[in-house]
Amino acid sequence: MLLKSLPVFFVACAGGSLFSLSHIPLPWTLGPMVAAVLWKTWLKKPVYWPKKMRNIGMLVLGYVMGSPFTPETGRQIIGQLPAMLAVTLLIIAVCLTTSYLAGRATGIGLANSLIGGMPGGLSQMAMICEETKGTDVSVVTIMQTIRLLTVVFTVPFVALHGIAGKTSAVKPQAAPITIQDIPLLCVFFVAIICAISFIKYIRFPSPYVIGPVLGTAALTLAGIHAPVLPPPVIAAAQIFVGIKMGLDLEVTRLSNWRTIALSSFASVITAIFLLLGAAYLLSLLSSIPLITVFISMAPGGMSEMALTAMIANADLSTVVAYQLFRLLFILVVAIPTARWWLTRNEHNLCSSTGIQK
């Protein structure tokens, strides 16, 4: 079966190389994603890419995201918990408000607007659709996909070309990995697998996103040094994830998908720049650089924003902490609350849903 994946892998590598040579942000994620979409469109048939490959990529990226955590950064993050809660509530409020306005313009209904604008995981939002009457999985999928793509393309561009030049962050020089680091990497690998297994056991969503971060962070917070992975390994992990993102992209299941996509794009762009203004104010009130605050508040995927932080020399541990806190808050608090409210009001919401299939 892996032989079937080789063509799209080589195409993705070419896409990543092209994006890298063109100095496009997140080249080894966005390049493979775009290449996979074009490859699937050109073939006009399903393209095979194992989910296990995506999970391996997330395992590597989760290790990278969790490795900057130290006892000192842990103490700093604990002190920022009230700010994290306030920022998370602000992000949710801004995203839901802009998506509500987009929903009014397209007539997709309040339920679809609410779930489609929630800055959480696409799969979790689709799960709520399946359990709530008056919602449409295709509409929500389009809105969530547009949100992720808009953030993934816009935030790195603004961060690298609009903000990064105004910061004085210095990228640390990482020591190359040696043969002596192999046993230590095995220890981290075991910790990550244990964390993933535990999260899957308690049936908590996104184990391959949260597990690697928590497993690695637990060891680094305990004072164990995390060896730095070679850049080609990190690039390969991004390729694995980018291919899956591209192949999962489907936006043509509705006749009015263009209208929904355009209104969703406008709402996400509005949300991004509103949050940029809020990030500027927060950076003035705190000692956190603007670029770190902005990426921390971006309503995108945790792995993509962490990679953006790495490239922009932002504080990776702070970005991951804020993004992880928001993800956990949405999964634990916001989604159950939305499910309860939508179920309670599903009779009224059903009559307000206007979707053209």
Side-chain angles (χ1 to χ4, degrees), residues 113-131:
S113 301
L114 176 64
I115 301 176
M118 185 77 73
L122 190 153
S123 59
Q124 284 76 38
M125 298 303 106
M127 178 184 64
I128 295 180
C129 290
E130 296 174 357
E131 299 175 355

Side-chain angles (χ1 to χ4, degrees), residues 87-348:
V87 166
T88 297
L89 294 175
L90 174 64
I91 294 171
I92 294 175
V94 169
C95 291
L96 293 186
T97 300
T98 54
S99 65
Y100 169 75
L101 295 176
R104 289 288 300 270
T106 55
I108 59 175
L110 180 59
N112 288 308
S113 301
L114 176 64
I115 301 176
M118 185 77 73
L122 190 153
S123 59
Q124 284 76 38
M125 298 303 106
M127 178 184 64
I128 295 180
C129 290
E130 296 174 357
E131 299 175 355
T132 307
K133 295 181 179 180
T135 57
D136 187 281
V137 176
S138 297
V139 173
V140 172
T141 299
I142 290 176
M143 295 182 69
Q144 288 287 336
T145 300
I146 293 298
R147 175 183 65 83
L148 291 174
L149 291 179
T150 304
V151 171
V152 165
F153 276 93
T154 304
V155 170
F157 181 84
V158 174
L160 295 174
H161 299 287
I163 303 177
K166 302 178 182 179
T167 63
S168 58
V170 178
K171 190 172 182 178
Q173 296 296 321
I177 192 170
T178 63
I179 193 66
Q180 289 80 11
D181 293 323
I182 300 299
L184 193 55
L185 285 174
C186 292
V187 172
F188 277 93
F189 178 76
V190 171
I192 290 172
I193 296 302
C194 290
I196 292 175
S197 300
F198 175 74
I199 292 176
K200 293 174 69 175
Y201 175 75
I202 62 176
R203 299 183 182 278
F204 200 77
S206 307
Y208 290 99
V209 176
I210 300 175
V213 176
L214 295 183
T216 304
L219 293 183
T220 55
L221 288 173
I224 300 177
H225 168 70
V228 178
L229 296 178
V233 174
I234 300 175
Q238 296 178 60
I239 292 173
F240 290 174
V241 175
I243 292 174
K244 186 62 176 175
M245 290 173 59
L247 296 182
D248 286 345
L249 182 58
E250 297 284 351
V251 296
T252 58
R253 287 180 286 179
L254 299 175
S255 61
N256 61 337
W257 69 269
R258 292 181 179 85
T259 302
I260 298 174
L262 183 61
S263 62
S264 298
F265 173 76
S267 70
V268 176
I269 286 291
T270 302
I272 289 174
F273 284 97
L274 286 175
L275 292 173
L276 175 59
Y280 177 73
L281 295 177
L282 181 58
S283 67
L284 294 178
L285 299 174
S286 65
S287 59
I288 307 176
L290 173 58
I291 191 167
T292 298
V293 180
F294 175 55
I295 300 175
S296 299
M297 295 179 66
M302 185 173 67
S303 58
E304 291 81 12
M305 295 305 99
L307 290 170
T308 302
M310 292 169 57
I311 297 174
N313 297 337
D315 188 335
L316 181 58
S317 59
T318 298
V319 170
V320 172
Y322 271 78
Q323 292 283 341
L324 181 60
F325 182 88
R326 189 187 82 233
L327 178 61
L328 293 175
F329 182 88
I330 289 175
L331 294 178
V332 176
V333 178
I335 287 180
T337 302
R339 182 187 292 114
W340 170 80
W341 188 84
L342 291 173
T343 302
R344 183 180 180 184
N345 297 274
E346 64 182 15
H347 177 73
N348 295 329

